[in-house]
Amino acid sequence: MIKLKNVTKTYKMGEEIIYALKNVNLNIKEGEFVSIMGPSGSGKSTMLNIIGCLDKPTEGEVYIDNIKTNDLDDDELTKIRRDKIGFVFQQFNLIPLLTALENVELPLIFKYRGAMSGEERRKRALECLKMAELEERFANHKPNQLSGGQQQRVAIARALANNPPIILADEPTGALDSKTGEKIMQLLKKLNEEDGKTVVVVTHDINVARFGERIIYLKDGEVEREEKLRGFDDR
Amino acid sequence: MGKSMKVDDIITFAFKNIKQKRTQSLLTIIGIVIGVLAMVSLISLGYGVQNYIHEEMMKMGSNKITILPMKQFGVPPSHLFTKKEIKAIKNVKGVDTVMYGWYGGCEIEYNGEKKFVSYYYAIPSKLREVYKDSGYDIEEGRWLEDNDKYACVIGYGTAHNLFDREIKVGDVIKIKDKKFRVVGILKQIGNQQDDNSIILNIDVGEKLFGNEGKYNFISVTVKEGEDIEKVSEEIKKALKKSFGDEDFSVLTAEQLAKTVSSVLGVITIFVVGVAAISLLVGAVGISNTMHMSILERRKDIGILKALGAETTDILAIFVVESGFLGLFGGIVGLVLGILLAEVIEALAHKMGYLMVNAWISWELIVGVLIFSFLVGVISGYFPARSGAKLNPIETLRGE
């Protein structure tokens, strides 16, 4: 489902070249739950951005669903983001102007445009909020009227709106207390196990990482090691 | 690709953004409001005056020709008409009545006060014949007769507005120390030049003002069934021979109306051009607001892009937003502009200037609204485009 081949990402700092990623090889199967762990500056967010088609590698090849994304233009990358990937961010990144329901409807607007009626959109958005375990009475609340955990549930619901096969979560619990964070991770695990979503979580917290089936450790832009916690056969 | 976002989704999003920054939006559109207000009121009044004058000129009759001893308005005549020209015009086929005389300005005295008025003298019976059904009607008293000597007819303004005490029929006024009895008062015409006027018999007028045998205007009526343009051309030929040169104008009512209208048209265009500068300032204001707004919402743009919004989607949201700012400013400016024009019209009419009118039509309203929407769209387009092209990584990283 997700494949990185010899991926290198560099930035220039004056005369110096900084390696965010160096010769990374990674293969994530469909339906897998993978954690990417490392300290700040290890390149894990860069990796997630590259997987998510928000960024491009300096060298190497990136495949999503056997599509080589290096060769795609902006519109094509946008299409992949819209159809195949749902993002969950540390700071939730909801549009503050819109209600919870409206935030969840956004990906549907961009994907279906005129083809999906307002009623259908609303129905789908409510389904997603339910899947994300947010009570329906909060659907018309603005983000600033919701707790952190609730906002993150809205963000997850939004990520699910277009039913993408891949969920990419960048420090999804970083802004939450540990108890709430654990509930969010339980939700992601459930989406992985019950709905078959391929989940990739970036984190610096080992307790969060352990929700995955395997942990990939990054250090200085390189894969340091890999730890397998469970396999498909363990379910 | 291909299909764009549904229009009402774009509009909904744009409106939410505008509402979110209500104060900022209001301040932004002030420039547009002022520009549109000025343009609307000035166009309305400018066209109103033009239309009024055109109607008044046409009211003077489609069978009338005015002849002046100068080529262009405002240039003093090099020489004047004489009996020779009068005779030549009378001999033109198709000419019915020929009325000639003098038009000028003078001071009159009444009740111890002196005021400046315009005066006409001509043969009274021909004056009446040429100007019947032209708005020059008697309100009170009677018209001048050909055998009147020291009698006059005065305009509405002369009688009712000029002096502390109103002049009545039968009262005596002084012109150049000669006493004249008022025998008639005209109905209000609606412009000060005609309303603040006095009309005399040609015999006494010529002697009084020292222009015997000279005339600075000739008015002609054309016989029924004759082609007025053809008669006009024949008069030109006859005058060319008699006058010795072409320093004269032969004007039908239509030409007269066009001439005056075009002068006013130029003035209107100039004044509206000045008002358009306010609109330009308003457009820059919108651009500035959109630029700041987009900087503030870089994060939102990044989010939308991550969710699968295309560059054109984001561009559409911002352009519609700025278009609505322009449109809203246009609506407010339009309403205020019309109100201002109406107020000015009312004040002018109260002061006796009936020619000042507010011209309001659907073309003006729709034209202004489309124009201000376009101003908003154009001024918002460039900041919107730069916003839409933001790299989502850079915007999301800044959380």
Side-chain angles (χ1 to χ4, degrees):
Chain A
M1 176 128 264
I2 300 170
K3 190 175 294 181
L4 272 56
K5 288 183 178 178
N6 302 319
V7 165
T8 295
K9 179 70 179 183
T10 59
Y11 298 96
K12 278 191 173 177
M13 293 280 207
E15 294 295 323
E16 205 174 350
I17 292 177
I18 306 296
Y19 281 87
L21 292 177
K22 193 183 292 181
N23 222 39
V24 170
N25 286 275
L26 179 65
N27 189 19
I28 297 173
K29 298 188 194 69
E30 183 172 356
E32 200 176 359
F33 189 150
V34 174
S35 297
I36 300 175
M37 219 189 128
S40 291
S42 59
K44 54 188 192 295
S45 285
T46 301
M47 178 184 281
L48 204 74
N49 288 336
I50 287 174
I51 292 172
C53 301
L54 288 170
D55 206 352
K56 285 188 172 182
T58 311
E59 286 171 39
E61 295 167 6
V62 180
Y63 294 85
I64 303 291
D65 245 358
N66 292 317
I67 298 166
K68 187 178 176 186
T69 62
N70 301 68
D71 302 332
L72 304 181
D73 65 21
D74 274 355
D75 283 346
E76 289 162 332
L77 292 174
T78 299
K79 188 163 168 19
I80 289 189
R81 287 201 298 271
R82 190 169 60 214
D83 294 343
K84 294 185 185 298
I85 298 169
F87 286 93
V88 179
F89 299 99
Q90 170 173 310
Q91 297 294 340
F92 326 127
N93 282 350
L94 301 176
I95 306 286
L97 234 56
L98 306 179
T99 64
L101 189 74
E102 287 164 343
N103 266 281
V104 177
E105 285 180 340
L106 277 174
L108 300 167
I109 289 173
F110 296 133
K111 178 169 183 175
Y112 295 103
R113 293 167 198 268
M116 183 181 260
S117 73
E119 188 55 36
E120 288 173 323
R121 218 159 60 206
R122 182 186 157 82
K123 186 179 171 189
R124 172 65 187 165
L126 286 170
E127 281 170 14
C128 294
L129 285 170
K130 190 172 179 182
M131 289 168 67
E133 298 170 4
L134 184 77
E135 297 175 42
E136 189 165 330
R137 61 192 173 93
F138 294 110
N140 289 315
H141 282 48
K142 293 275 174 61
N144 63 5
Q145 296 169 304
L146 299 173
S147 70
Q150 288 171 331
Q151 287 188 59
Q152 193 62 295
R153 289 179 192 279
V154 174
I156 291 171
R158 183 180 63 184
L160 297 171
N162 283 339
N163 197 26
I166 300 169
I167 303 289
L168 301 181
D170 189 349
E171 298 279 10
T173 65
L176 305 173
D177 62 82
S178 57
K179 188 175 177 181
T180 306
E182 183 167 337
K183 286 180 177 172
I184 292 297
M185 293 311 299
Q186 294 281 9
L187 176 56
L188 288 175
K189 188 160 189 286
K190 183 179 165 187
L191 292 171
N192 166 251
E193 292 177 350
E194 295 182 13
D195 295 327
K197 302 295 183 188
T198 304
V199 175
V200 181
V201 169
V202 160
T203 183
H204 65 275
D205 184 339
I206 187 61
N207 294 310
V208 169
R210 287 194 169 279
F211 279 86
E213 294 164 25
R214 60 181 166 125
I215 302 172
I216 295 169
Y217 292 87
L218 279 190
K219 189 178 180 184
D220 299 328
E222 293 184 88
V223 176
E224 185 184 31
R225 64 189 174 93
E226 183 177 320
E227 179 183 353
K228 184 171 179 176
L229 303 179
R230 300 183 304 280
F232 284 115
D233 44 291
D234 289 0
R235 291 184 195 179
Chain B
M1 244 172 299
K3 279 189 298 181
S4 63
M5 280 173 71
K6 219 199 292 190
V7 169
D8 42 331
D9 287 322
I10 294 175
I11 290 171
T12 298
F13 209 174
F15 261 120
K16 279 179 185 286
N17 289 332
I18 290 172
K19 218 166 72 174
Q20 176 81 356
K21 300 177 186 299
R22 193 177 288 104
T23 300
Q24 192 175 346
S25 298
L26 285 178
L27 291 174
T28 297
I29 65 169
I30 284 177
I32 298 286
V33 170
I34 292 170
V36 169
L37 183 159
M39 288 186 75
V40 166
S41 56
L42 291 166
I43 290 172
S44 176
L45 292 169
Y47 274 105
V49 172
Q50 277 181 278
N51 287 342
Y52 178 89
I53 287 177
H54 191 274
E55 282 164 16
E56 289 298 297
M57 298 272 179
M58 296 313 294
K59 209 194 290 181
M60 291 174 69
S62 55
N63 72 327
K64 284 184 188 58
I65 297 172
T66 300
I67 308 166
L68 303 171
M70 74 269 287
K71 199 71 179 175
Q72 288 176 358
F73 287 119
V75 180
S78 53
H79 57 293
L80 301 160
F81 297 132
T82 66
K83 279 298 209 316
K84 190 178 168 197
E85 280 72 57
I86 306 303
K87 189 172 180 181
I89 291 169
K90 280 182 177 177
N91 288 334
V92 171
K93 183 178 182 291
V95 167
D96 191 357
T97 305
V98 179
M99 186 266 286
Y100 52 93
W102 190 275
Y103 165 78
C106 71
E107 200 171 60
I108 66 173
E109 187 179 345
Y110 172 73
N111 191 39
E113 293 178 78
K114 288 182 177 176
K115 298 290 179 180
F116 196 82
V117 299
S118 51
Y119 72 88
Y120 304 81
Y121 59 71
I123 298 171
S125 60
K126 296 199 181 298
L127 193 58
R128 173 153 49 171
E129 199 170 324
V130 169
Y131 282 100
K132 68 184 179 187
D133 306 322
S134 295
Y136 293 85
D137 291 320
I138 294 291
E139 177 188 72
E140 197 182 333
R142 64 169 174 86
W143 195 250
L144 282 178
E145 301 293 344
D146 287 1
N147 59 0
D148 280 330
K149 270 233 178 291
Y150 295 101
C152 64
V153 167
I154 61 175
Y156 184 94
T158 306
H160 299 295
N161 299 333
L162 232 46
F163 295 92
D164 289 342
R165 195 213 289 179
E166 288 193 357
I167 304 178
K168 294 183 168 57
V169 172
D171 285 347
V172 171
I173 63 171
K174 264 189 190 174
I175 309 172
K176 285 179 172 258
D177 292 324
K178 282 285 185 188
K179 292 181 181 178
F180 287 83
R181 184 171 300 278
V182 174
V183 298
I185 298 170
L186 295 174
K187 284 180 181 170
Q188 188 173 26
I189 295 162
N191 75 80
Q192 221 170 56
Q193 191 167 285
D194 284 332
D195 281 329
N196 293 354
S197 68
I198 187 167
I199 301 174
L200 306 172
N201 197 329
I202 190 168
D203 293 334
V204 67
E206 279 188 312
K207 291 190 179 73
L208 194 64
F209 295 103
N211 290 308
E212 292 174 76
K214 297 180 201 139
Y215 314 109
N216 68 2
F217 76 87
I218 302 173
S219 286
V220 167
T221 59
V222 174
K223 284 173 183 168
E224 200 168 334
E226 295 283 349
D227 180 349
I228 191 169
E229 292 298 329
K230 194 172 176 186
V231 175
S232 179
E233 286 303 311
E234 291 302 317
I235 289 173
K236 279 177 192 170
K237 287 179 192 170
L239 273 181
K240 197 167 165 183
K241 212 181 297 181
S242 170
F243 212 43
D245 56 35
E246 293 191 37
D247 286 343
F248 59 83
S249 299
V250 179
L251 300 165
T252 61
E254 182 68 38
Q255 287 167 325
L256 207 47
K258 270 183 200 158
T259 301
V260 176
S261 272
S262 69
V263 170
L264 288 172
V266 170
I267 293 172
T268 299
I269 287 169
F270 171 78
V271 171
V272 169
V274 172
I277 291 173
S278 292
L279 212 40
L280 181 62
V281 172
V284 172
I286 285 185
S287 262
N288 183 58
T289 291
M290 291 306 299
H291 182 64
M292 295 306 297
S293 179
I294 286 160
L295 287 181
E296 287 167 9
R297 287 164 22 209
R298 293 166 67 97
K299 185 173 172 181
D300 284 1
I301 294 169
I303 293 166
L304 294 176
K305 285 209 156 181
L307 297 179
E310 300 197 9
T311 301
T312 50
D313 296 327
I314 293 169
L315 186 67
I317 290 168
F318 283 125
V319 166
V320 168
E321 183 178 329
S322 64
F324 273 117
L325 283 175
L327 181 60
F328 185 66
I331 290 169
V332 175
L334 178 68
V335 170
L336 293 181
I338 289 173
L339 286 178
L340 181 60
E342 296 279 8
V343 167
I344 290 174
E345 173 188 306
L347 288 175
H349 283 199
K350 184 165 284 190
M351 290 192 287
Y353 292 96
L354 297 193
M355 78 164 60
V356 179
N357 289 282
W359 170 81
I360 295 154
S361 72
W362 287 113
E363 295 99 313
L364 176 64
I365 291 169
V366 173
V368 164
L369 294 182
I370 290 173
F371 182 67
S372 42
F373 180 75
L374 287 179
V375 165
V377 167
I378 290 167
S379 60
Y381 177 77
F382 294 104
R385 195 175 68 165
S386 64
K389 290 188 172 180
L390 288 172
N391 187 322
I393 288 270
E394 287 162 11
T395 58
L396 289 168
R397 204 197 311 272
E399 67 228 17

